[in-house]
Amino acid sequence: MFDKYSGRFYDYTARNKRPVQVILILLIIISLAALYFVEYESSMDNILPQNEVLDRSMEFFRNSNIAGKVVVSLELTSPEKDVSDLLRETDLLAGSLDRNLFPEVTVGISESAVAKDIDAMFKNLPEMVSGNELSQIDAWIDQKHVSQKLHDAYLQLLKPQGMLLGSMLRSDPLGMRMLVLEKLKALSSSTGYDVEIRDGHFVSRDGRHAMLIAKSAVAITDSAGSKKLLASLKDRLATLPGYIRADIICGHAHTVSNEKLIKRDIVFISFIAAVAMLLLYGVVIRDFSAVTIFMIPVVAIVFSIDLSYLLLGKLSYWVIGLGSTVAGIATDYGTHVYFAAQGKSDPSPFVKHVIKPVSFGALTTIAIFLAFFFSGIKGYNQLAVVTIISIVVSTFISIFVLPHLMLKPDGKTSFADRIAGKLERGNISNGLAVLFWIFITLALSYFAFHVEFERDIKNIDGTEKEIINAEERFHKTWGGEKTPAVLVVNSKDYEDALEMNERIYRDAVQAVGAENFTSMASLWQAEKTRKENAGRWNEFWSEERKQRLRGLLLQEGKKYNFSKNAFEPFFESLKANNDPPSTPLTPPGLPLNKGRSETSPGDTGGFSEKSGNSLFERFVQKTDNGYRVVSFFPDTKEYAGSMNEISGRYPGSYIVSAAVLSNTLSEVVSKDLRLMTLISAISVIVMTYLCFFNFRETLIALVPPLTSIVWLFGLMALLGLSINAANMIAGVLVIGLNSDYGIFMTFRSRKEMNTGTVMAITICTVTTLIGAGVLIFAKHPALSSVGVTMVIGLGAGFFSSVMVVPKLCELFVKGKAI
């Protein structure tokens, strides 16, 4: 039935070839014009699976104040210049940045602002001191400790800067301020950077580097926005004097670098492959009309983009790029039709003969891409639509339009005809080839089960060496090589966020230790806890304890000539602390919910905005949906497992870890791969059987795709290569192409007529291997892995289809191959 109706339709297009060609040309013109209205998006989110862990992590990276930072490290390269020149240029650079792209720019922290912040926190000390710390303070109220503190203070007062320390000593003779300073130090160390503050600027210890930190208004995954941001920044850096070198450290640089490297590789590869294939067709085929074979996928992808946009809306740039590459396999269908019709005075019966294998070859490839709709990656769904439409269009044009565009034969036997005839008549498949195939397949089957999936996405990162070198210089100067993992607490209510963060902190300290978990909860508790702390503080400072300390201060103070009233400011502060605090501890610039605090909206609670923006915003952030409190811990499998277990007990909290993110991505993509492979395998088997309605022929036709999978996985395991998100797509293409080859060669065994099948498959394989072979030398590791996958898979499929399938058909199917 299929042959009957497809043959009739072919005859119809043959009788009306002029109207068909005119309609096709009009549709091409309309489609080209429609491309102007198609909208694209450059975000890389489409290539990530839909997964709760991944979605939360990406949302955190997009919206957190941490991930969107752009850091510029400025280095003095001239020995004649000093740090004052460096800081001056740093300030000029900060003032010149585009505030639409860099809404906030920080070059350091003011020492006076830090001092005010510490003083403000000391006033809130009663709210911040825990019961254990009160026990520690109680132990300090003895003769030995007081004597040592006053002795140290006396020595400090003798120094030039002693005048500045006098008021601090009078208000804090026991050194309780250190309880706050130690916690602040621990919070500051969570950045992982080795920084000094000079004249309110971030300066390296060698005094030859300054750091500028800018908040970006562009998401890291926004490729187009990242280009604009980096271009603007580099324009400003170009104005720096020659004695300053600048290194840019940000995720945007990786996004732009990967895209640039891929585009550069694709342009180079496309040029080399196009030249090689044109030479191949020019030398072997020597027929100008064969150029139309290459035009078919171009026309198909134009139609596909327009139709996909109507169906899906905005299309991803990377989907269009990959879809165009995938559509290139459609040259195979045109090649088979071309060799069936080439040199024939009446090509009609020969073209009709290949309609079925060509159509079912296309259908098996379509069936494989239908499996992409079951993937959790949105980009794969888009890719399936683009690819299926392009294959349908390519197949239609190859069968019903291409034969009518070919030049009429001149009666002479062409060079291609002579080669095709030799290949068709030659007995290239024999028992020795089959035995070799069996041996290699069995040997590689063992290794195929040991191939691994790439768990570290950095290994397929195509970042340019210039960026890597800049990051190495940055870490050598500033430290921070190891990025910590983050525990995130989200809540609509500020106090609720603090309460949850506090409970998590207590659990985390027990699980991993206080030294391995940096949280604002160590310094900044919820309102309920602060009130409890303040109540304990007031009970602690009883009249008896005050008098005991006053006596010790008088006794030991006489030894160092301290006056009788030297420490009266401290005791006055204790009286003031009996009243409710006038400046409750609140996050800088973050308005609290009405009714939950006495602090008015926008009140900074006594902390300077500049200092708050440099440290406190790292831990507490205002979001569109409420508040976010973050804590940090070492990003190891052990700690991530412990913290993930803790966060699971607190709804609204989760961890963001590079290690967890990488493992999750690997697991999700692996699951997708297994599901897509299963669906693809079933689809290929079903479509192949529908082509032949013969069990033996179906099994033989499946030999090439099965061989390509076994050989590919086996050789990858032997070569130490792994499966990744990029070469997974290439593997799908390999299965599709080899399925076509299996169908074509099995169909050939029916010995009905000579349609140049071997020649067509050889040309298709060689042209594809040219493009894939060039990919091996691509600089981007993902593209290079695609090249290796294509070469191994296609090589295995070609060998088994041409050298093995004919012999198997001869042995197990009635009739012999030509």
Side-chain angles (χ1 to χ4, degrees):
M1 183 178 293
F2 179 86
D3 294 333
K4 176 183 176 181
Y5 287 105
S6 62
R8 286 183 179 180
F9 190 73
Y10 176 83
D11 291 335
Y12 175 81
T13 57
R15 291 192 303 268
N16 300 277
K17 60 182 179 180
R18 292 300 178 192
V20 170
Q21 292 169 4
V22 170
I23 292 173
L24 179 61
I25 292 173
L26 289 175
L27 289 174
I28 291 173
I29 294 173
I30 294 172
S31 297
L32 288 172
L35 287 178
Y36 178 78
F37 301 98
V38 176
E39 297 179 279
Y40 305 94
E41 56 183 355
S42 58
S43 173
M44 301 298 287
D45 291 350
N46 284 333
I47 65 174
L48 294 176
Q50 301 299 306
N51 174 269
E52 183 181 8
V53 174
L54 297 175
D55 291 345
R56 287 187 315 203
S57 298
M58 293 308 299
E59 189 274 336
F60 175 79
F61 286 128
R62 278 192 294 265
N63 300 321
S64 91
N65 293 328
I66 303 168
K69 298 295 186 184
V70 176
V71 180
V72 180
S73 177
L74 302 169
E75 177 187 4
L76 276 177
T77 58
S78 172
E80 299 176 359
K81 301 295 181 178
D82 59 22
V83 70
S84 61
D85 299 303
L86 177 63
L87 299 185
R88 182 183 66 251
E89 293 299 331
T90 301
D91 288 337
L92 291 175
L93 174 64
S96 68
L97 295 182
D98 186 347
R99 287 303 186 269
N100 292 321
L101 297 173
F102 306 98
E104 296 177 16
V105 181
T106 304
V107 296
I109 304 174
S110 168
E111 289 94 334
S112 60
V114 173
K116 290 180 180 178
D117 285 349
I118 294 175
D119 184 60
M121 279 187 284
F122 187 65
K123 291 179 180 178
N124 288 276
L125 189 64
E127 297 183 4
M128 301 161 63
V129 174
S130 65
N132 292 334
E133 288 169 331
L134 285 176
S135 299
Q136 184 178 350
I137 294 173
D138 187 44
W140 290 348
I141 306 176
D142 71 345
Q143 187 269 336
K144 182 178 180 181
H145 181 81
V146 171
S147 178
Q148 184 64 48
K149 291 297 294 184
L150 295 182
H151 173 264
D152 294 342
Y154 175 73
L155 295 179
Q156 290 293 325
L157 291 171
L158 295 178
K159 296 179 180 180
Q161 64 268 34
M163 294 296 293
L164 300 175
L165 299 174
S167 59
M168 187 181 299
L169 174 65
R170 297 183 67 198
S171 61
D172 183 22
L174 292 177
M176 292 185 296
R177 186 178 267 105
M178 291 304 298
L179 295 172
V180 174
L181 293 177
E182 288 297 326
K183 294 176 182 179
L184 271 178
K185 183 179 179 181
L187 294 180
S188 300
S189 66
S190 68
T191 63
Y193 297 127
D194 188 11
V195 180
E196 290 185 353
I197 304 299
R198 295 193 193 179
D199 297 329
H201 292 76
F202 298 125
V203 179
S204 62
R205 296 213 178 266
D206 62 6
R208 305 293 294 177
H209 301 76
M211 186 191 299
L212 179 151
I213 304 175
K215 181 179 179 180
S216 167
V218 178
I220 294 176
T221 54
D222 184 352
S223 177
S226 296
K227 288 180 186 177
K228 182 179 179 181
L229 179 142
L230 290 175
S232 174
L233 179 56
K234 288 179 179 179
D235 284 343
R236 304 317 309 158
L237 294 179
T239 64
L240 290 172
Y243 57 82
I244 292 181
R245 180 174 70 179
D247 287 328
I248 303 173
I249 311 298
C250 62
H252 308 82
H254 287 260
T255 300
V256 173
S257 177
N258 270 277
E259 181 179 316
K260 183 169 69 174
L261 196 58
I262 288 176
K263 286 184 176 179
R264 186 189 305 163
D265 280 340
I266 288 177
V267 170
F268 170 73
I269 291 163
S270 300
F271 175 76
I272 298 297
V275 170
M277 284 190 282
L278 286 174
L279 288 174
L280 177 66
Y281 274 78
V283 172
V284 177
I285 300 178
R286 300 179 183 179
D287 182 358
F288 180 76
S289 62
V291 175
T292 55
I293 297 174
F294 294 103
M295 299 306 298
I296 291 173
V298 175
V299 173
I301 197 64
V302 171
F303 285 168
S304 180
I305 291 174
D306 291 335
L307 292 174
S308 298
Y309 176 66
L310 289 176
L311 294 172
L312 305 173
K314 287 185 179 180
L315 300 175
S316 170
Y317 276 119
W318 85 268
V319 168
I320 297 302
L322 191 55
S324 301
T325 304
V326 173
I329 68 175
T331 57
D332 288 13
Y333 309 130
T335 301
H336 282 281
V337 173
Y338 175 86
F339 277 103
Q342 199 259 348
K344 311 297 191 303
S345 56
D346 181 15
S348 177
F350 296 90
V351 173
K352 290 179 181 179
H353 181 70
V354 298
I355 287 179
K356 188 171 185 177
V358 168
S359 298
F360 275 89
L363 287 173
T364 54
T365 304
I366 290 173
I368 289 173
F369 279 96
L370 284 174
F372 280 49
F373 287 114
F374 294 88
S375 170
I377 301 177
K378 182 181 178 182
Y380 283 3
N381 306 151
Q382 284 192 5
L383 179 62
V385 175
V386 173
T387 303
I388 289 172
I389 293 175
S390 65
I391 290 176
V392 170
V393 173
S394 296
T395 306
F396 179 87
I397 296 175
S398 296
I399 296 174
F400 301 108
V401 179
L402 175 62
H404 311 311
L405 299 176
M406 294 175 60
L407 299 176
K408 295 294 183 181
D410 55 7
K412 298 179 181 180
T413 303
S414 68
F415 179 68
D417 285 336
R418 291 195 296 272
I419 296 178
K422 291 180 180 179
L423 289 174
E424 292 297 327
R425 290 189 297 272
N427 188 17
I428 55 177
S429 178
N430 52 58
L432 185 62
V434 174
L435 289 175
F436 175 79
W437 166 75
I438 293 174
F439 173 77
I440 295 297
T441 303
L442 289 176
L444 292 177
S445 297
Y446 170 78
F447 297 100
F449 289 100
H450 296 83
V451 68
E452 296 182 355
F453 193 90
E454 181 58 71
R455 294 186 175 274
D456 189 353
I457 56 178
K458 292 181 180 179
N459 289 334
I460 56 172
D461 181 18
T463 302
E464 295 168 293
K465 192 166 184 61
E466 176 186 354
I467 296 173
I468 300 298
N469 292 338
E471 292 177 349
E472 289 177 353
R473 289 193 297 268
F474 178 85
H475 292 310
K476 184 177 180 180
T477 300
W478 301 98
E481 295 92 339
K482 296 182 179 180
T483 304
V486 183
L487 188 142
V488 183
V489 173
N490 285 324
S491 179
K492 294 182 178 179
D493 184 88
Y494 168 66
E495 281 298 328
D496 288 343
L498 288 186
E499 289 174 7
M500 186 188 303
N501 187 59
E502 187 179 337
R503 294 197 301 271
I504 290 176
Y505 175 71
R506 288 195 293 265
D507 291 349
V509 169
Q510 292 182 351
V512 301
E515 68 279 5
N516 294 314
F517 192 77
T518 305
S519 171
M520 185 59 77
S522 63
L523 177 71
W524 195 338
Q525 296 89 15
E527 183 179 34
K528 178 182 177 182
T529 303
R530 296 200 305 269
K531 287 182 177 180
E532 292 174 353
N533 289 340
R536 280 194 299 267
W537 173 275
N538 291 331
E539 293 177 4
F540 175 82
W541 287 110
S542 61
E543 286 300 321
E544 178 185 355
R545 187 171 274 113
K546 291 179 186 177
Q547 291 301 323
R548 178 155 59 94
L549 177 58
R550 190 187 297 270
L552 290 172
L553 291 172
L554 285 173
Q555 174 186 322
E556 299 301 320
K558 292 179 181 179
K559 300 177 182 179
Y560 305 104
N561 295 320
F562 285 105
S563 67
K564 181 179 180 180
N565 298 322
F567 304 105
E568 201 59 31
F570 170 73
F571 293 100
E572 290 295 328
S573 69
L574 293 180
K575 293 179 181 179
N577 285 328
N578 287 324
D579 300 322
S582 58
T583 56
L585 191 57
T586 59
L590 297 182
L592 298 185
N593 296 318
K594 187 175 181 181
R596 293 301 300 267
S597 172
E598 298 176 7
T599 307
S600 61
D603 188 354
T604 62
F607 294 96
S608 69
E609 185 178 352
K610 185 171 184 181
S611 175
N613 283 338
S614 63
L615 177 60
F616 292 113
E617 74 160 10
R618 182 173 174 84
F619 295 90
V620 182
Q621 301 151 15
K622 182 72 175 71
T623 67
D624 294 337
N625 298 320
Y627 297 88
R628 171 183 291 147
V629 183
V630 299
S631 305
F632 301 90
F633 59 92
D635 194 0
T636 66
K637 183 178 180 180
E638 178 185 358
Y639 291 132
S642 298
M643 295 313 304
N644 194 43
E645 182 181 347
I646 292 173
S647 68
R649 300 198 292 263
Y650 297 92
S653 70
Y654 57 90
I655 69 170
V656 178
S657 159
V660 172
L661 184 63
S662 181
N663 288 333
T664 302
L665 183 61
S666 173
E667 291 173 3
V668 172
V669 175
S670 296
K671 183 179 179 181
D672 261 9
L673 175 61
R674 289 191 293 269
L675 176 61
M676 290 163 59
T677 301
L678 176 62
I679 296 174
S680 298
I682 295 174
S683 301
V684 168
I685 293 172
V686 170
M687 295 308 303
T688 305
Y689 180 78
L690 291 177
C691 178
F692 297 102
F693 283 102
N694 182 289
F695 184 69
R696 290 186 180 183
E697 286 182 313
T698 298
L699 290 179
I700 294 173
L702 291 173
V703 165
L706 292 175
T707 301
S708 65
I709 294 173
V710 174
W711 286 30
L712 175 61
F713 286 178
L715 288 173
M716 288 180 72
L718 282 174
L719 297 173
L721 303 175
S722 55
I723 302 172
N724 56 55
N727 61 28
M728 184 175 74
I729 301 296
V732 172
L733 290 181
V734 165
I735 295 173
L737 288 170
N738 289 323
S739 298
D740 296 348
Y741 296 168
I743 290 175
F744 292 138
M745 290 302 296
T746 306
F747 204 85
R748 170 183 176 270
S749 72
R750 293 185 171 182
K751 196 183 176 182
E752 295 175 5
M753 60 178 62
N754 180 5
T755 56
T757 302
V758 178
M759 181 64 172
I761 289 178
T762 302
I763 291 293
C764 292
T765 302
V766 171
T767 54
T768 307
L769 286 177
I770 288 173
V774 178
L775 272 176
I776 295 176
F777 302 99
K779 294 183 178 179
H780 198 289
L783 291 181
S784 180
S785 70
V786 168
V788 173
T789 302
M790 294 288 286
V791 169
I792 295 175
L794 283 176
F798 176 76
F799 175 83
S800 58
S801 63
V802 175
M803 305 294 289
V804 178
V805 168
K807 189 64 178 179
L808 294 178
C809 289
E810 180 184 336
L811 293 172
F812 301 106
V813 181
K814 289 183 179 181
K816 294 186 178 180
I818 300 173

PDB file of all heavy atoms in Angstrom, residues 678 730 748:
ATOM      1  N   LEU A 678      15.908   4.081  25.671  1.00  0.00           N
ATOM      2  CA  LEU A 678      14.909   3.015  25.654  1.00  0.00           C
ATOM      3  C   LEU A 678      13.808   3.322  24.640  1.00  0.00           C
ATOM      4  O   LEU A 678      13.443   2.463  23.821  1.00  0.00           O
ATOM      5  CB  LEU A 678      14.305   2.850  27.049  1.00  0.00           C
ATOM      6  CG  LEU A 678      13.170   1.823  27.187  1.00  0.00           C
ATOM      7  CD1 LEU A 678      13.672   0.423  26.829  1.00  0.00           C
ATOM      8  CD2 LEU A 678      12.599   1.850  28.602  1.00  0.00           C
ATOM      9  N   ALA A 730      25.166  13.668  19.795  1.00  0.00           N
ATOM     10  CA  ALA A 730      25.879  13.058  18.677  1.00  0.00           C
ATOM     11  C   ALA A 730      25.606  11.566  18.603  1.00  0.00           C
ATOM     12  O   ALA A 730      25.462  10.998  17.512  1.00  0.00           O
ATOM     13  CB  ALA A 730      27.378  13.314  18.830  1.00  0.00           C
ATOM     14  N   ARG A 748      18.425  -3.423  -0.164  1.00  0.00           N
ATOM     15  CA  ARG A 748      19.225  -3.715  -1.364  1.00  0.00           C
ATOM     16  C   ARG A 748      19.303  -5.223  -1.615  1.00  0.00           C
ATOM     17  O   ARG A 748      19.395  -5.671  -2.763  1.00  0.00           O
ATOM     18  CB  ARG A 748      20.624  -3.118  -1.184  1.00  0.00           C
ATOM     19  CG  ARG A 748      21.653  -3.540  -2.233  1.00  0.00           C
ATOM     20  CD  ARG A 748      22.999  -2.926  -1.868  1.00  0.00           C
ATOM     21  NE  ARG A 748      24.048  -3.357  -2.775  1.00  0.00           N
ATOM     22  CZ  ARG A 748      24.803  -4.434  -2.601  1.00  0.00           C
ATOM     23  NH1 ARG A 748      24.605  -5.206  -1.531  1.00  0.00           N
ATOM     24  NH2 ARG A 748      25.740  -4.757  -3.474  1.00  0.00           N
TER      25      ARG A 748
END
